[in-house]
Amino acid sequence: MRRHIISTVVFSLSLAACGSGSSSLPPTQSTPTQPPQASCDLSALEQSLRQQAAALKTDTDFTLLLERFDGRSFSYSRGGSSAVTSYESASTSKWVSAVIMLRLVDSGVLKLSDTAASRLSDWPFSASHPLSQMTLQQLLSFTSGLTEEPLCLNLPGIDFAQCVRQGLSNNSANGRLPGTVFDYNGLHLQVAGLMAIRAAGASDWQVLFRQFTQQTGLFSTARYDLPSSGNPRLAGGMHWTAQEYLDFLRALQQGKLLSAALQQQMLANQRGTATVANSPAVSGFGADWPYGLGHWLECSNGQCASAQRHSCPGAYGAYPLIDYQHQYLAMLAREGQLGSFVEGKAVVDALTPAIQAWAGCKP
């Protein structure tokens, strides 16, 4: 019961210079695209999309930003929401945190094969302990063997590294072997983040985030501040605007943040054959989505090697995605009640036919 309570609380709170790569394709042998419509009225399609968005019955105001890969864009906001409204990220920060760490892999500071035990001088387990085998790759794909989140992930006054040690202690006797179980919880990214901090010789996560924003020009007003700047939840502790997140998706899709090889690894199924112990995609959406590095692969078969649609929904209903098949980016920004992630996806699902018609139109 304690584990259930912790998971429920933390899931609710957590529901996260340019690189040398130039590839913008997902890891597939070919990328099917939708043929342009023989005849289409772009203005009519956009008007219809606005009308449908305005007519939706949903629990809170939202902003929807769309952008085709060729740069054509569409925006709709309702109520008090806007493209520059600051929203709590919940789990949408997972994708951002993963990319920040993956850029350290590209630069040679880290390797995906690095173990947490080799990077953390205060690692609490012996070399023979099963959890001593966990790698950065497994941490970023939630298959590291960690299943118990510490409550300190939500305490603003605690030291980041101290909280990581507490979380590891909570998992010391869970009997999990890294790579065998997929468990969606925020501790994986806290451990990975501490590895990144130590490997880079940084004082804290904020240093790495500032370096990322300075090198890329992204997230200029965003911040990792929940529950505090000193103990940020890397899996769900940002504030951002819809426009900032869309800019991130564009840079990612265009291959400007990661090398081509690492981008393909990020987009590929990293869950593999691991048993699913805890997946909000299953419990919330009834979808057995596999997981890449820091985000979901939206495909019907949980064992699929790759996908055409990649997303990172958050607990307040925000929903960023890249659709390679229909060649568009989408960012639904909103902040409903904790656990209202299903509502956010329902908005996108209801509008998807209209969005795909808009994306496929080449007047």
Side-chain angles (χ1 to χ4, degrees):
M1 177 62 72
R2 176 177 178 275
R3 197 261 183 198
H4 175 75
I5 294 172
I6 293 174
S7 296
T8 300
V9 170
V10 179
F11 168 68
S12 294
L13 290 169
S14 295
L15 250 177
C18 295
S20 59
S22 60
S23 171
S24 62
L25 300 179
T28 55
Q29 292 182 345
S30 62
T31 303
T33 59
Q34 292 296 102
Q37 298 173 15
S39 177
C40 60
D41 184 334
L42 183 59
S43 296
L45 289 171
E46 291 184 343
Q47 180 63 20
S48 175
L49 184 50
R50 288 190 183 92
Q51 290 173 344
Q52 291 181 50
L56 283 175
K57 293 183 178 179
T58 187
D59 59 327
T60 191
D61 295 335
F62 63 85
T63 288
L64 175 66
L65 301 182
L66 304 175
E67 185 172 301
R68 278 172 42 104
F69 288 0
D70 64 8
R72 191 179 77 212
S73 62
F74 171 89
S75 66
Y76 171 81
S77 293
R78 100 186 215 180
S81 183
S82 77
V84 294
T85 300
S86 179
Y87 283 120
E88 289 191 29
S89 68
S91 279
T92 63
S93 68
K94 288 179 170 65
W95 213 347
V96 182
S97 298
V99 168
I100 292 172
M101 289 183 253
L102 289 173
R103 285 170 62 85
L104 294 178
V105 174
D106 260 336
S107 66
V109 172
L110 282 168
K111 296 179 181 177
L112 284 174
S113 59
D114 284 347
T115 63
S118 69
R119 286 293 184 177
L120 304 179
S121 59
D122 49 352
W123 184 251
F125 306 132
S126 69
S128 61
H129 193 284
L131 293 181
S132 292
Q133 301 176 36
M134 73 173 66
T135 65
L136 179 63
Q137 187 165 359
Q138 291 166 337
L139 287 162
L140 295 180
S141 60
F142 299 161
T143 60
S144 70
L146 299 174
T147 58
E148 298 291 331
E149 293 177 315
L151 287 174
C152 58
L153 260 66
N154 304 308
L155 300 180
I158 196 167
D159 177 73
F160 186 95
Q162 179 184 347
C163 186
V164 168
R165 289 191 293 271
Q166 181 61 56
L168 292 170
S169 176
N170 290 357
N171 284 270
S172 61
N174 71 6
R176 300 298 190 183
L177 184 67
T180 63
V181 174
F182 174 84
D183 194 293
Y184 187 88
N185 72 75
L187 181 58
H188 302 275
L189 290 190
Q190 298 300 100
V191 177
L194 187 58
M195 290 175 65
I197 292 167
R198 298 277 178 84
S203 57
D204 57 22
W205 180 257
Q206 304 302 339
V207 172
L208 298 183
F209 183 53
R210 284 194 299 271
Q211 290 175 349
F212 173 72
T213 61
Q214 291 166 1
Q215 291 167 358
T216 65
L218 299 171
F219 292 112
S220 60
T221 71
R223 57 199 185 275
Y224 279 86
D225 60 348
L226 298 172
S228 67
S229 60
N231 185 36
R233 283 191 306 271
L234 305 190
M238 289 184 76
H239 276 89
W240 45 244
T241 70
Q243 187 60 58
E244 286 177 321
Y245 209 106
L246 186 77
D247 293 343
F248 166 73
L249 293 176
R250 182 193 311 112
L252 193 59
Q253 180 271 320
Q254 292 179 349
K256 293 182 177 180
L257 300 182
L258 301 173
S259 66
L262 197 55
Q263 177 125 331
Q264 284 212 336
Q265 283 189 276
M266 179 195 70
L267 295 173
N269 180 0
Q270 299 291 337
R271 193 183 82 184
T273 59
T275 301
V276 178
N278 176 33
S279 168
V282 173
S283 60
F285 304 142
D288 185 21
W289 293 345
Y291 207 74
L293 298 176
H295 75 289
W296 297 97
L297 281 61
E298 294 192 15
C299 56
S300 57
N301 181 355
Q303 299 304 319
C304 66
S306 61
Q308 291 294 318
R309 188 175 166 107
H310 299 255
S311 66
C312 194
Y316 300 112
Y319 192 20
L321 66 91
I322 302 176
D323 188 323
Y324 284 94
Q325 180 178 1
H326 298 93
Q327 298 191 326
Y328 70 88
L329 316 169
M331 180 59 193
L332 179 77
R334 44 162 278 154
E335 193 173 318
Q337 296 296 312
L338 287 172
S340 63
F341 64 101
V342 175
E343 292 282 342
K345 185 174 184 298
V347 168
V348 175
D349 286 349
L351 298 176
T352 291
I355 292 171
Q356 291 179 355
W358 171 85
C361 178
K362 292 186 178 181

